[in-house]
Amino acid sequence: MQTVRSIDALRNVLAEYRAEGRTVALVPTMGALHAGHMALIEEARIRADRVIASIFVNPMQFSPSEDLDSYPRREAADVRMLEEAGCDLLWAPTLDVMYPEGFATRIAVSGVTEGLDGAARPGHFDGVATVVSKLFNQVRPDVALFGEKDYQQLLLIRRMVTDLDFGITIIGVPTQRDDDGLALSSRNAYLSPEERSAARALPRALGEAAAAIQKGTPPAAAIAAAIKRLNDAGFDPVDYVELRDAETLELVDTLDREARLLAAAKLGRTRLIDNLAVRPAE
Ligand code: PAF
């Protein structure tokens, strides 16, 4: 697997792929790869002839109080994992390639970015939309793959691709979980052993609330129980546990359509997010 860091080198490889008539899938990442990312690569290999992964820790999506400096960076291990998974090319632009001096553009998607992480992390989704637009323009993939763990991000990218006529098929890949249910995330590496053990309360609280709502418990009551369970396990603060429409992310107070139960909460210094599908009985 080749690693390229300049736009010219990337274009040369892409020109070869196109000359051979190959379709291209892009898996955008910020590195510190885990089995969740490998599931994206695996799905990408099914969807296209050539798979490109990108690694870029995007400063624009971190607020000044967030973990940009401490975000895990381990490119050598990432390269080994990508090679083993059958990735064809790593696109690893440097900061000045991605944001050259004078860079002054921001992409903002409204609607699905309001509330949830859009409220808890002001500016975050503008940073995501901007960097993903740039990655799409740099690689011009046929298909791009994103994890459902970042559900609000997935919906914003779908909206942006439609609105800006990117002509890229967006595939959402189900969340990969550890044996105890915790969603895989690069940020799990921050958890102490005690926090890691307490963290399983997040998928459990969501699973119980989702099951209760599906059985007819009013969403507000199920959500209050989930928040209590998270607080009891040591999560503080709980930024949100909310039931939202699975496509528009509008708030849902009666389960009369496909919904998503989404949560974000902090355990020590680590902010974890998760979500589950909640479907009305047929
Ligand atoms: O989900 C991520 O890892 C990032 O938000 C993304 C999509 C790579 C943009 O930086």
Side-chain angles (χ1 to χ4, degrees), residues 23-42:
T23 55
V24 171
L26 174 66
V27 177
T29 82
M30 296 206 300
L33 303 179
H34 49 68
H37 296 109
M38 295 309 109
L40 299 177
I41 300 285
E42 198 180 313

Side-chain angles (χ1 to χ4, degrees), residues 256-278:
D256 52 6
R257 58 203 133 133
E258 290 250 330
R260 208 90 192 177
L261 187 64
L262 302 105
K266 254 181 145 181
L267 196 53
R269 291 195 328 216
T270 310
R271 187 171 183 274
L272 299 177
I273 62 171
D274 201 351
N275 68 84
L276 287 180
V278 189

Side-chain angles (χ1 to χ4, degrees), residues 28-31 37 54 56 58 61 71 124 127-128 131-132 135 146 150 153 157:
T29 82
M30 296 206 300
H37 296 109
S54 65
F56 180 69
N58 175 33
Q61 69 188 76
Y71 196 84
H124 168 67
V128 170
V131 82
V132 171
L135 290 166
F146 296 86
D150 296 291
Q153 167 176 285
I157 289 162

